[in-house]
Amino acid sequence: RTVTSTVRVTGGAAKVTSVRTAADVPKDAIFAVMEAINAIVVPAPIAIGDVICEDIAGTGIALTATKAVKVR
């Protein structure tokens, strides 16, 4: 299952950016992935497709940005 969510952004025109996993996450790992996503804070600027986390919650799956955020 693909996980979509938002992560917090510092110094950007928006306070959050949307993200999604690059591959399907096993059902038993979804809660761990969400806990890891909720702990992430990234600095602006962010472009669509930027890798926010290479290995989210030890799953080996990348977390990528799906919304661009410019610097304030």
Side-chain angles (χ1 to χ4, degrees), residues 1 7 9 11 13 15 20-21 23 30-32 39 42-44 46-47 50 55 57 60 71:
R1 292 163 175 85
V7 296
V9 177
K15 293 182 181 182
R20 70 181 287 249
T21 54
I30 291 175
F31 285 106
V42 293
I46 299 166
D50 281 358
D55 179 14
V71 176

Side-chain angles (χ1 to χ4, degrees), residues 8-18 42-48 50 65 67-72:
R8 290 173 286 193
V9 177
T10 58
K15 293 182 181 182
V16 296
T17 188
S18 56
V42 293
I46 299 166
I48 294 173
D50 281 358
K67 177 185 169 189
V69 178
K70 296 181 180 180
V71 176
R72 211 179 320 183

Side-chain angles (χ1 to χ4, degrees), residues 6 9 11 17-20 24 26-31 36-38 40 49 56-57 64-66 68-72:
T6 57
V9 177
T17 188
S18 56
V19 293
R20 70 181 287 249
D24 289 342
K27 189 174 182 178
D28 62 337
I30 291 175
F31 285 106
I37 289 172
N38 290 336
I40 296 173
I56 192 75
T64 58
T66 58
V69 178
K70 296 181 180 180
V71 176
R72 211 179 320 183

